[in-house]
Amino acid sequence: MSRLQIYDPRERALVRAADGALAVAAAVARPFRRRARPAAPARILLLRLERIGDLVMVLPAIRDVRALAPAAAIDLVVGGWNAALAGAIPSVSSVETLDARWLGRNGRGTGVGRLLAAARRWRTRRYDLAINFEPDIRSNLMLAASGAGWTAGWTSGGGGSLLDCALEYDGRAHTSSNARRLVSSAFQRAAPDSPLDLLTLPDDVRRAACVRLGPGLQAPLVGVHASGGRPVKQWEPEKFAEVAQRLAVERGATIVLTGSTADRALVGGIKKTIPARQVIDVSGEADLLLLAALLERLDLLITGDTGPMHLAAAVSTPIVAVFGPSDPRRYAPPGARIVRIDLPCSPCNRIRLPPARCKGHTPDCLAGITADAVFDAAVSVLDRASLRDAPGHATA
């Protein structure tokens, strides 16, 4: 049995017990199952039920699937929060939403029983291949219930015995790299280069972003996404405010403040520190597609390890990201400027179950990051972009 990459001891013990039972059942059923890897799958199922950043990080792998099966119908199943974003993925034929309770906020969502019932209904579609990008025993059960002719996924969250192609997740590699490796293993060949974009934003959404930002903006245009999404990933808002205020005053930047409706109080505290003529507050206004279009127009986004960070990467916006407990090797977008400090306990990657010593206050791995360090990183990125765009500048 493979090593489970689950840091909650109780959850790990439960999954190990379930994994053992499933392995026995799979061994008994194996002689009666006729399985064959499809040479040219005509219909493919992809699962990515998690949050915004998790979907964005597998976009290169989804593009690989399209490159390896150019004529196939590719159905993608995502959480409802990602429906609009998934609809902008050009590699995908159709999108279905399922909100898993263990991934929903405030306990909302569908339990395992109903999710399995939905997966059993997929049998009528006769999938040739199904790939689960989630390292989770529950979504591996859904893959098995789908009746797909060939299945691929991860063993690290349990349920590997249910799969035809079961890989160990490399915790030292980036999520995107792992996902692309899974696709290559499922097809037994690497994907050719593809001209497809990761996302295709509708023209009307891009126009709406232009209207929302307005004319005559003072350059550079710098986005600040101060909300960490979870307390353990929250860099102090006061430091975000200091960085934004200095960029506005010292660099003449226009600051675009992003966030959800729930972030408005946090954003408001930052907004009042910036000259009114140099700040645009879009918090609570933008759905994912509009947010992507707004991020696309920025010269820089300053953020923590968040969904908007990954969204900015997908639209090729330069990023300065503040990292604390999250491991940049696994989650930082390629090319992003990462600001962090080295501590013996960091990165721990204990995001959903933080250590007790990190609860109720800013964790040491974030508290030790100064506003000066983030400001200097932002200036460096902006200056490098200005040099690159200068007339007569030649890149090596």
Side-chain angles (χ1 to χ4, degrees):
M1 190 181 299
S2 63
R3 182 175 63 87
L4 297 175
Q5 298 178 26
I6 301 172
Y7 51 70
D8 183 341
R10 182 174 178 273
E11 182 182 349
R12 187 168 60 249
L14 289 171
V15 172
R16 181 177 289 115
D19 221 16
L22 288 172
V24 171
V28 171
R30 191 168 293 117
F32 305 99
R33 299 170 68 209
R34 296 182 179 179
R35 311 287 289 178
R37 188 190 307 268
R43 189 152 198 181
I44 299 171
L45 171 68
L46 305 177
L47 291 188
R48 191 50 162 168
L49 302 178
E50 295 194 22
R51 307 304 299 188
I52 300 168
D54 302 295
L55 174 59
V56 174
M57 284 188 286
V58 302
L59 291 181
I62 294 173
R63 184 170 61 184
D64 286 350
V65 174
R66 173 54 70 200
L68 289 162
I74 300 175
D75 297 341
L76 174 64
V77 183
V78 299
W81 41 81
N82 278 330
L85 187 62
I89 303 173
S91 300
V92 170
S93 306
S94 69
V95 174
E96 181 176 341
T97 61
L98 284 176
D99 294 352
R101 185 173 296 158
W102 64 90
L103 297 171
R105 299 285 165 86
N106 302 317
R108 296 175 181 172
T110 303
V112 175
R114 289 187 177 181
L115 290 174
L116 290 175
R120 282 192 292 270
R121 290 194 290 272
W122 295 337
R123 289 174 175 266
T124 60
R125 302 177 189 173
R126 298 185 179 278
Y127 288 111
D128 301 299
L129 172 65
I131 300 175
N132 180 19
F133 292 114
E134 317 285 343
D136 193 289
I137 190 171
R138 293 160 292 195
S139 47
N140 278 342
L141 280 166
M142 294 173 64
L143 216 65
S146 72
W150 193 260
T151 57
W154 303 110
T155 63
S156 59
S161 60
L162 300 170
L163 305 170
D164 298 300
C165 173
L167 301 187
E168 292 275 357
Y169 195 92
D170 184 355
R172 299 165 299 178
H174 197 278
T175 300
S176 292
S177 298
N178 273 307
R180 298 188 75 181
R181 178 167 60 90
L182 178 60
V183 170
S184 295
S185 296
F187 282 86
Q188 287 195 315
R189 63 186 188 275
D193 292 337
S194 171
L196 284 177
D197 293 331
L198 297 178
L199 289 174
T200 301
L201 300 179
D203 290 341
D204 62 327
V205 174
R206 283 195 166 106
R207 286 193 294 269
C210 292
V211 170
R212 180 60 188 88
L213 293 176
L217 296 175
Q218 188 167 314
L221 199 58
V222 177
V224 174
H225 188 86
S227 174
R230 296 176 183 268
V232 73
K233 294 199 295 182
Q234 182 64 62
W235 193 47
E236 295 98 324
E238 297 80 10
K239 293 180 179 178
F240 272 114
E242 181 180 342
V243 174
Q245 192 268 346
R246 288 184 63 187
L247 286 170
V249 173
E250 298 179 30
R251 304 288 298 201
T254 297
I255 306 299
V256 180
L257 300 174
T258 64
S260 68
T261 302
D263 299 328
R264 279 179 169 164
L266 181 153
V267 171
I270 296 173
K271 182 179 180 180
K272 66 184 180 183
T273 70
I274 305 168
R277 68 182 182 280
Q278 288 175 254
V279 62
I280 300 172
D281 179 3
V282 297
S283 61
E285 297 181 20
D287 60 20
L288 282 182
L289 287 185
L290 180 56
L291 177 59
L294 291 167
L295 294 174
E296 188 179 42
R297 294 183 58 79
L298 301 179
D299 296 296
L300 173 67
L301 175 69
I302 301 172
T303 178
D305 171 27
T306 63
M309 174 189 73
H310 296 290
L311 203 54
V315 295
S316 302
T317 295
I319 298 162
V320 168
V322 180
F323 267 69
S326 305
D327 190 345
R329 293 179 303 175
R330 294 179 67 166
Y331 304 115
R337 179 70 176 269
I338 305 304
V339 184
R340 62 179 301 273
I341 59 172
D342 287 319
L343 292 177
C345 58
S346 176
C348 66
N349 279 323
R350 294 186 58 177
I351 308 304
R352 293 180 183 170
L353 187 67
R357 68 180 180 278
C358 297
K359 294 180 180 178
H361 62 92
T362 303
D364 292 344
C365 56
L366 285 171
I369 298 173
T370 65
D372 283 343
V374 176
F375 175 80
D376 290 345
V379 168
S380 175
V381 173
L382 291 171
D383 284 349
R384 188 165 64 246
S386 296
L387 178 62
R388 185 180 62 246
D389 296 339
H393 176 69
T395 56

